[in-house]
Amino acid sequence: MNTRAPIIFRTRIKPEWLDYNNHMNVAYYVLIFDLAGVELVSQLGLSEAVTEKTGISWMVLENHITYNNEVVLDQPVEIRCQLIDHDNKRLHLYFEMYAYTEQGVEYLASTLEQMAMCVDLNSRSSCEFPPEVDEQINAMAKLQSELTTPANIGRKIGIRRR
């Protein structure tokens, strides 16, 4: 049994993503996760072409991100995505960004927990996923049904006091 969510996106850190600390700026972590999300919904059958044809798309309702370790110029990263929960309109997703050192050692760079929703762009309101997309979501849920729930799910921000 595979104990990790599948890789859905790979990239390398670009020069324009760096800040004055000479590592990737926080905004670009979100960009990479967003690119991975676009790839995910395309795999589920809700690509840009489908949206143009049907007016049905997806929108992010909420993100919770952690910055675990820095990444630097030209470093390879990959995004894994786990479907935590879903209903006929929403996806609760968990993304992990893994980076690789020059020696090929993998480490967790960042995580993103996300709630996304299916929308009808004609009415600008929520709607149910099209049947063929819903089938793909259910298939993804079945494939990932034995993955453990990540410890980061549902975290909240706060200063821990002793």
Side-chain angles (χ1 to χ4, degrees):
M1 176 186 99
N2 190 356
T3 60
R4 297 177 74 187
I7 298 166
I8 60 165
F9 187 76
R10 288 184 171 95
T11 192
R12 287 186 170 271
I13 306 309
K14 299 177 182 182
E16 60 269 25
W17 295 350
L18 301 183
D19 62 20
Y20 59 83
N21 294 318
N22 210 29
H23 63 196
M24 189 164 67
N25 178 275
V26 296
Y28 294 100
Y29 285 82
V30 177
L31 172 69
I32 292 172
F33 284 124
D34 188 55
L35 294 171
V38 169
E39 178 58 31
L40 173 68
V41 295
S42 291
Q43 290 175 13
L44 294 174
L46 203 51
S47 66
E48 184 176 357
V50 170
T51 295
E52 288 176 10
K53 185 173 148 185
T54 66
I56 304 299
S57 190
W58 68 294
M59 292 183 182
V60 174
L61 301 174
E62 187 172 351
N63 279 335
H64 293 206
I65 191 166
T66 66
Y67 303 96
N68 302 69
N69 289 289
E70 67 180 348
V71 291
V72 296
L73 181 63
D74 202 39
Q75 193 168 14
V77 295
E78 63 187 25
I79 307 300
R80 294 177 175 272
C81 181
Q82 183 173 346
L83 178 62
I84 301 300
D85 197 6
H86 69 287
D87 62 17
N88 61 356
K89 294 182 180 184
R90 295 169 296 184
L91 299 174
H92 182 185
L93 302 165
Y94 179 72
F95 298 87
E96 293 179 324
M97 178 186 297
Y98 287 93
Y100 291 87
T101 66
E102 289 179 8
Q103 297 76 28
V105 177
E106 175 189 81
Y107 65 89
L108 183 64
S110 184
T111 68
L112 181 121
E113 182 179 2
Q114 180 176 89
M115 185 67 68
M117 181 173 63
C118 189
V119 293
D120 182 332
L121 294 178
N122 301 306
S123 65
R124 304 304 282 190
S125 61
S126 67
C127 66
E128 292 185 3
F129 289 107
E132 57 278 4
V133 174
D134 193 54
E135 285 179 32
Q136 292 300 315
I137 292 168
N138 286 317
M140 180 181 181
K142 186 175 180 182
L143 282 172
Q144 294 188 4
S145 65
E146 295 187 23
L147 295 179
T148 59
T149 302
N152 277 352
I153 297 301
R155 286 177 48 148
K156 66 180 184 175
I157 293 176
I159 297 173
R160 294 184 197 121
R161 306 273 187 207
R162 291 181 189 216

